[in-house]
Amino acid sequence: MTTPHLSAAPGDYASTVLMPGDPLRAKYIAETFLDDVRQVNEVRNMLGYTGSYQGKPVSVQGSGMGVPSFQIYATELIRFFGVSRIVRVGSCGALQHALSLGDVVLAMGAGTDSMVNRTRFEGRDMAAVADWGLLLRAAQAAEAAGMTVHVGSVFTSDFFYDPNDNPFDLFERHGVLAVEMEAAGLYGLAAEHGIEALAMMTVSDHLKRHEAMSAEDRQSSFDDMTRVALALL
Ligand code: HPA
């Protein structure tokens, strides 16, 4: 079955899909961590792959940036390819001083300035939350691997470049760990379709301390987080 944005055939995706924003990260994950890999999508260069990790089938599909792009790919994976578990593997900007570059954030819940979940819930607020089993197992796997992991709320913004004053102080006061651009869309979609979902992000920059990770450090902490995501299989 080909969908408007995925040229894959029926059965081409595994039931679990890791979704990085960057399609080249999907290619990197597939080539670095998976066995028996084949490319299943190249429409718009939004690369997708299916292979196995320690004998278990898994797919990796780029999502693009922001809620609308993420939801296009995730919706087609769920509706047309029977995907029942999606793990976002991305990056985020930290807001709390307890967080450092390279730490892992597991989004227990996600607030947002996007309208998608309000629209889904017919004008009401919706609790956009992670699957508890995935969240628990990811926290345990990250801690067992010696990583510094933070579990809590994130804010999913439609703006990377906000035209108004950044609301970062407000978010910080309310305990929001970090800002990113997709988690709330994933969680709303997961609730709509009854699938399991988790968004995990490495801290690539610190918005209060004005720090950013080097390219090499980005790569190694992304690798560590990817292993945690794959441990969920
Ligand atoms: N804003 C939104 N998404 C992000 C950021 C940010 O500052 N850093 C990494 N992903």
Side-chain angles (χ1 to χ4, degrees), residues 26-167:
K27 181 175 162 70
Y28 172 82
I29 292 170
E31 290 175 351
T32 308
F33 294 99
L34 305 190
D35 298 318
D36 311 316
V37 177
R38 60 202 171 87
Q39 188 178 319
V40 292
N41 188 58
E42 60 179 2
V43 178
R44 290 177 184 244
N45 283 325
M46 198 56 80
L47 304 172
Y49 300 85
T50 294
S52 63
Y53 180 75
Q54 295 178 350
K56 294 174 185 149
V58 63
S59 297
V60 194
Q61 172 63 54
S63 70
M65 292 178 282
V67 167
S69 181
F70 189 97
Q71 289 197 151
I72 286 172
Y73 294 102
T75 300
E76 292 183 10
L77 289 172
I78 297 164
R79 280 201 198 156
F80 301 106
F81 295 96
V83 168
S84 56
R85 183 192 281 165
I86 294 178
V87 181
R88 156 161 160 72
V89 285
S91 62
C92 63
L95 294 168
Q96 302 288 333
H97 284 284
L99 273 66
S100 301
L101 298 181
D103 289 358
V104 172
V105 171
L106 301 178
M108 184 155 67
T112 187
D113 52 19
S114 158
M115 277 298 288
V116 293
N117 289 341
R118 286 252 169 126
T119 303
R120 267 197 185 89
F121 233 38
E122 299 181 349
R124 303 167 182 93
D125 276 355
M126 171 189 217
V129 297
D131 177 79
W132 167 242
L134 289 181
L135 180 64
L136 178 65
R137 289 196 290 126
Q140 289 169 337
E143 276 180 1
M147 299 161 69
T148 306
V149 56
H150 307 267
V151 179
S153 77
V154 302
F155 191 83
T156 300
S157 183
D158 276 349
F159 290 108
F160 190 87
Y161 301 105
D162 197 324
N164 301 316
D165 289 341
N166 279 321

Side-chain angles (χ1 to χ4, degrees), residues 112-225:
T112 187
D113 52 19
S114 158
M115 277 298 288
V116 293
N117 289 341
R118 286 252 169 126
T119 303
R120 267 197 185 89
F121 233 38
E122 299 181 349
R124 303 167 182 93
D125 276 355
M126 171 189 217
V129 297
D131 177 79
W132 167 242
L134 289 181
L135 180 64
L136 178 65
R137 289 196 290 126
Q140 289 169 337
E143 276 180 1
M147 299 161 69
T148 306
V149 56
H150 307 267
V151 179
S153 77
V154 302
F155 191 83
T156 300
S157 183
D158 276 349
F159 290 108
F160 190 87
Y161 301 105
D162 197 324
N164 301 316
D165 289 341
N166 279 321
F168 297 158
D169 290 342
L170 174 70
F171 295 166
E172 183 193 10
R173 287 202 302 280
H174 287 78
V176 177
L177 298 175
V179 180
E180 55 83 70
M181 301 186 73
E182 293 83 13
L186 168 60
Y187 290 171
L189 201 57
E192 181 189 336
H193 293 279
I195 70 149
E196 295 177 6
L198 177 65
M200 58 172 76
M201 284 77 62
T202 55
V203 175
S204 60
D205 35 70
H206 202 297
L207 302 174
K208 307 297 289 192
R209 290 204 289 265
H210 306 288
E211 300 167 352
M213 231 174 1
S214 69
E216 305 81 59
D217 289 349
R218 250 175 206 258
Q219 193 63 56
S220 68
S221 49
F222 188 81
D223 284 2
D224 292 343
M225 181 180 65

